[in-house]
Amino acid sequence: QPEFFSVRTMAQTKTLIRQGDRAFEKVDKINAELFTMSYGALVTQLLKDSNGDCDAVNQQLDSIGYKIGVRLIDEFIAKSSAPACRNFTDTAEVIAKVGFRMFLGVTATVQGWQEDGRQYSLILDENPLNQFVELPEKYKGLWYSNVLVGVVKGALEQVMFKVDCKFERDALRGDDSTELKVTLQEVLRENMENFD
Amino acid sequence: NPALNPRATLSLIVIMSSSSSSSSAAVLTSGEGDEVKEQAVRRPLVDIVDKPLSRGKSQVTLSSFSYLFSELVQYWQSRVESTQELERRLSDAGYPIGLRVLELLSWREKQGKKEKSLLAVLQFIRSVVWRSLFGKVADGLEKSTKSDDEYYIYDNDPLTNRFISVPKDFGHLNCGAFIAGVVNGVLDGAEFTATVTAHNVPNGGPAQTVFVVNFDQDVVKRDAAVNGYK
């Protein structure tokens, strides 16, 4: 059954941007460079331990991100005043304008909607994870910020949207922008087993 | 420029040379249909060291760091046999950050000036480094009364320990080992080689951590000679 396709108006997006700014303002913050370098330390360690196996590291970053996403969603719901996402299509701008803003300090742009409303892309113009980073030739197969892919999957799964998420392009690889593609796989039903 | 026939399946490869050693290619493929599909247009890779240095004012949510750091700790936790080894892995992870922080801050905050004495480099760490990384200066800097190579840097609430609760069977684990590694990197990079470890302060506040810095003996001797101490 196709999702009800709600088209976000400019006003709705502006509201989300404001909510994102407010959420980011409220939370405690730290120097982004410490965060950037710590992430670099993680990726470097993963590459070392896997002997430069980019596919394995991509997978590991995905899993790590998933674990983070599953925890982060609670904080997101508690601290942002973003409305609950009734449809998959709602998730796009909420993640782009509130989610990313609240946790990374930057907003993303939503593009590339598929006609059936089951797929969209998040475009990042700025990515605090890859500041100061240069990807050497031998790691061309690495999606350096792949942790984000896992975070999106983990977080959305907790609000009942099982999605696939992956990088299509990365500025670190020389692409003209950084793009994450989010695809709905299924809407999960609440587990009602515990209700009598 | 060769003409493009949008209906033909013709691929055009344009090689752009860049200042870095690798060259990038833009691949333009004409599919069937009126649009020319652009696949993976690559810009020439700008050499990152040619980019201007950021001012270091950008911020990120604290909880993002704590989620990340928590995963870092868990990653090693499953790969080590002891608390000491876990602390060592954390410290090893912080070390290259220290080297980079030294370089970054030396350029940005000190116009490339090097510190010339032990005390000066410790002050640099206690104020400039701490403020840049943690938004505050370290809570204390003391010299040991027992030995001339030992100094203490105090932090009452290190970032790394805020969201980590250490279970009983992990004993004295102090995740500040990560910060100890950063300090170690800064000192070694500044040629004041030392070992740095993080410890819970026995009668201090719940989170208070002391970073114990032990300078190499030849560094101590050199410092005394250069700076005219007895």
Side-chain angles (χ1 to χ4, degrees), chain A residues 99-170:
Chain A
F100 272 118
R101 179 77 174 125
M102 184 174 154
F103 290 102
L104 289 180
V106 297
T107 54
T109 321
V110 181
Q111 274 178 28
W113 276 107
Q114 231 170 48
E115 273 166 31
D116 60 0
R118 293 174 76 88
Q119 187 181 90
Y120 58 83
S121 284
L122 297 162
I123 312 288
L124 275 171
D125 288 321
E126 255 187 275
N127 179 0
L129 289 175
N130 64 16
Q131 198 194 20
F132 305 136
V133 180
E134 188 178 54
L135 209 59
E137 197 63 36
K138 59 178 168 170
Y139 296 135
K140 268 288 154 77
L142 184 69
W143 292 116
Y144 183 80
S145 305
N146 220 40
V147 71
L148 296 178
V149 143
V151 172
V152 169
K153 287 198 290 193
L156 283 178
E157 190 170 295
Q158 293 302 298
V159 290
M160 301 298 134
F161 296 109
K162 188 158 199 304
V163 304
D164 184 37
C165 182
K166 53 187 186 154
F167 270 95
E168 287 289 308
R169 292 180 287 170
D170 190 357

